[in-house]
Amino acid sequence: MPPPADIVKVAIEWPGAFPKLMEIDQKKPLSAIIKEVCEGWSLGNHENFALQIADATNFYITEKNRNDIKNGSILRLTTSPYQTAVQLHERIQSSSMDAKLESLKDLANASRDITFAQEFINLDGISLLTQMVESGTERYQKLQKIMKPCFGDLLSFTLTAFVELMDHGIVSWDTFSVAFIKKIASYVNKSAMDTAVLQRSLAILESMVLNSQDLYHKVAQEITIGQLIPHLQGTDQDIQTYTVAVINALFLKAPEEKRQEMAHILAQKQLRSIILSNVIRSPNPINDEMAHQLYVLQVLTFNLLEDRMMTKMDPQDQAQRDIIFELRRIAFDVECDPNNSGSIEKRKSMYTRDYKKLGFINHVNPAVDFTQIPPGMLALDNMLYFARHHQDAYIRIVLENSSREDKHECPFGRSSIELTKMLCEILKVGELPSENCHDFHPMFFTHDRSFEEFFCICIQLLNKTWKEMRATSEDFNKVMQVVREQIMRALNLKPNSLDQFKSRLQNLSYTEILKIRQSERMNQEDFQSRPILELREKIQPEIMELIKQQRLNRLCDGTCFRKISSRRRQDKFWYCRLSPNHKVLHYGDLEESPQGEVPHDSLQDKLPVADIKAVITGKDCPHMKEKGALKQNKVLELAFSVLYESDEYLNFIAPDKHEYSVWTDGLNALLGKEMTSDYTKSDMDTLLSMEMKLRLLDLENIQIPEAPPPIPKEPSNYDFVYDCN
């Protein structure tokens, strides 16, 4: 007879004693269970003891998380969080350097547990650590010359403990003094500093800036971009990542009026070229966190264009009108009258003619064209940049189109305005960076004016595509759709430079786009004749079963999931996989990201598939309802939970949309439910189309009738004779 659902069989360890096997009744108070365990080893004062998970995490068992205990778990009897906090609070103030170092190391490990962290913070532990950083380190610095490794470790463990305690969100960042900020900043500003200390100092500064506007101003006074640049020129990618993260945080929290100033400083310090040389073109592959930070920097840089994008042109502003005159002068310099002679009417007629050649919608007053937002004045800025920095190409495009028939000319002005708007949409100018995206483009780090150069390449592409399509003014929107597709396909290839991007576009001519579309259409073609539809319906269950088996095989292979905290993403992992007989989910924590599959026997926790009640996704997941979780917009799309028993959950955050689809499909398949992800629909379409083509291969060039042929009339008699011989 199976044990009751509330009874959990575990092993409990106590140092110096033989482990005990116990049955824990989850209905009993935790204090009563601890008392029973203590009495078994003749230990008094049971209120001074607690139970921990006996693994690398050493998390305390509380009334909130006790339901995480599974059959076969190994627990450890240890001192209570309060007693441990009191002991460590005293030990870190020891006069012995060795004792202090050991206690700070223990504190850094223990602080990852929120139960201990709460007790230590209640003892004013955060204040003690900040005091040690502010004043205590001066005393240790005297010993630094003779005990340099010890000093680095001492400070490293102090800052690690501080970061872990603050990561729980119990204490506000606004409570810290200027002296503490100065001290942390000094570790970043030093040319030679212990790597671990530097890394944690950068992490603290980033959190300060992101979590408090007041601290942003204080940190900005202590840290300059020039002091951060040297950390990017090293070879440690973790230090480089944290450095870019601090720059991003300062950029993100800077008042709008200071962002342009900061961008100017970044340009002066050649941040872009330093990142390009030391990070993007480094021999070391870029990890996900660095890719995310480069993506954030790319987004924040392009967001500087938002002000111009949302600024309408003032038709009465002479300085702005002079830009349009400059465009006309560069294009038609030979035709301009240097003496400005002739009547006003004649000059107006000449201007109107030239503005029409330039492709403006309003030939009389082209300033009106730039009153649409977006793209506002940004379009005019791009046109002027193109005219000045790519003058030959600009003149060629304008004169080439002005010599065509009216209906076949590609209007440069209108095209530039619509293209600028399109590029802003593609690069999502004005939108905040996503929390979970690492889609940066190396080519945008190869030029100080990358957006303008991007425009110059694309406006020439637009003119080329217009000619290839032999378009007329009625085809304008169609041409823009083709150009958008060309740009998106080239960007998806992740070119390393603007020249490479230009080369990719050369290979994506209008003819090539038609071929690609035709190929894709053939792959997804849906024949509508009745015999074909009937064949599809017959094949569909076989394909769905194939997809189901693939999903279950992927679950058997398993996936490494990242644990995401309320601060920034942490390198903490756990692994989950399905048993080969599809009856049990094996899962457990990992110290680092695995290189391959993790064997079942190394994953201690199990969840029988028969106990699973439902699969929950998105904002309905319990770990997405926690404080701060909803702030991570893109994480919601990757979150899902498995409900088992009555109200127990196993919570997941998939590494990407593909893994999310695989796991939600696989779990639904295990429960006998429909697989509804977009990935399943895509696989179904692909496999079904492929199977249909294979089965219809012999019918190529044979027209399949919409309806079956008519049944012949009955014969006048059935006196048929067949001679089988």
Side-chain angles (χ1 to χ4, degrees), residues 83-252:
Q83 290 294 328
T84 306
V86 170
Q87 292 169 12
L88 286 174
H89 193 275
E90 293 175 358
R91 286 169 54 202
I92 62 175
Q93 299 179 70
S94 169
S95 57
S96 166
M97 288 291 288
D98 290 337
K100 184 186 286 286
L101 181 62
E102 193 62 32
S103 59
L104 282 169
K105 183 178 179 180
D106 291 342
L107 177 62
N109 289 327
S111 296
R112 291 179 296 176
D113 182 84
I114 190 169
T115 310
F116 168 84
Q118 185 68 67
E119 297 291 352
F120 189 77
I121 289 169
N122 289 343
L123 294 171
D124 215 13
I126 292 283
S127 297
L128 177 59
L129 291 177
T130 55
Q131 288 169 16
M132 290 172 63
V133 173
E134 288 174 22
S135 56
T137 49
E138 274 81 3
R139 184 159 53 86
Y140 306 139
Q141 284 172 351
K142 295 176 183 177
L143 303 172
Q144 187 176 1
K145 291 182 180 178
I146 57 174
M147 300 179 68
K148 188 170 183 180
C150 181
F151 168 74
D153 290 343
L154 190 77
L155 190 52
S156 169
F157 289 133
T158 304
L159 295 178
T160 301
F162 175 83
V163 169
E164 294 290 353
L165 290 168
M166 291 303 297
D167 193 25
H168 297 296
I170 299 169
V171 179
S172 170
W173 283 93
D174 288 308
T175 58
F176 299 108
S177 65
V178 174
F180 178 72
I181 298 169
K182 286 179 179 288
K183 184 60 67 176
I184 297 297
S186 71
Y187 300 142
V188 174
N189 293 337
K190 283 183 181 177
S191 56
M193 177 51 68
D194 180 84
T195 301
V197 172
L198 177 58
Q199 184 173 315
R200 283 150 183 79
S201 298
L202 288 166
I204 291 170
L205 291 178
E206 182 202 5
S207 294
M208 284 180 171
V209 172
L210 290 176
N211 288 285
S212 169
Q213 192 64 32
D214 184 48
L215 287 184
Y216 155 74
H217 293 290
K218 293 175 181 176
V219 171
Q221 291 174 356
E222 300 298 327
I223 294 287
T224 65
I225 300 300
Q227 291 163 329
L228 292 171
I229 292 293
H231 301 313
L232 291 171
Q233 295 172 318
T235 56
D236 189 318
Q237 192 168 122
D238 287 335
I239 296 296
Q240 292 174 326
T241 301
Y242 278 98
T243 302
V244 178
V246 172
I247 293 172
N248 286 338
L250 290 169
F251 215 143
L252 190 62

Side-chain angles (χ1 to χ4, degrees), residues 62 103 117-118 165 175 186 356 378 447 483 485 532 579:
T62 64
S103 59
Q118 185 68 67
L165 290 168
T175 58
S186 71
K356 184 177 183 297
L378 184 60
H447 201 285
V483 169
E485 185 175 346
I532 299 298
S579 62

Side-chain angles (χ1 to χ4, degrees), residues 393-418:
Y394 167 69
I395 294 172
R396 186 182 70 252
I397 287 175
V398 173
L399 296 183
E400 194 177 86
N401 284 291
S402 62
S403 62
R404 292 181 187 154
E405 294 180 44
D406 284 354
K407 68 174 185 176
H408 283 289
E409 68 178 1
C410 176
F412 173 73
R414 182 186 176 192
S415 298
S416 298
I417 292 168
E418 289 301 318

Side-chain angles (χ1 to χ4, degrees), residues 266-268 270-273 301 385 443-453 498:
L266 293 177
Q268 281 185 328
Q270 297 185 323
L271 175 71
R272 177 197 57 76
S273 58
T301 303
Y385 181 91
M443 74 176 194
F444 291 127
F445 290 85
T446 62
H447 201 285
D448 289 327
R449 303 289 293 275
S450 58
F451 184 80
E452 289 86 345
E453 288 293 325
L498 289 163

Side-chain angles (χ1 to χ4, degrees), residues 646-659:
S646 56
D647 58 349
E648 297 300 315
Y649 295 90
L650 184 61
N651 297 319
F652 298 76
I653 296 179
D656 52 47
K657 195 69 178 174
H658 177 268
E659 287 296 325

Side-chain angles (χ1 to χ4, degrees), residues 321-385:
R321 289 168 63 86
D322 286 345
I323 299 175
I324 297 177
F325 293 150
E326 177 72 359
L327 290 173
R328 175 181 175 273
R329 185 196 66 76
I330 295 172
F332 307 114
D333 188 44
V334 179
E335 299 180 23
C336 287
D337 186 355
N339 300 317
N340 201 23
S341 59
S343 66
I344 295 176
E345 289 299 323
K346 184 179 178 181
R347 288 204 305 273
K348 278 186 178 181
S349 173
M350 186 170 61
Y351 283 149
T352 301
R353 181 199 66 196
D354 290 347
Y355 290 148
K356 184 177 183 297
K357 289 180 179 180
L358 280 170
F360 290 113
I361 297 173
N362 191 316
H363 306 153
V364 179
N365 185 9
V368 175
D369 289 10
F370 300 97
T371 56
Q372 173 195 350
I373 56 170
M377 289 296 292
L378 184 60
L380 188 58
D381 295 341
N382 283 339
M383 293 168 70
L384 183 63
Y385 181 91

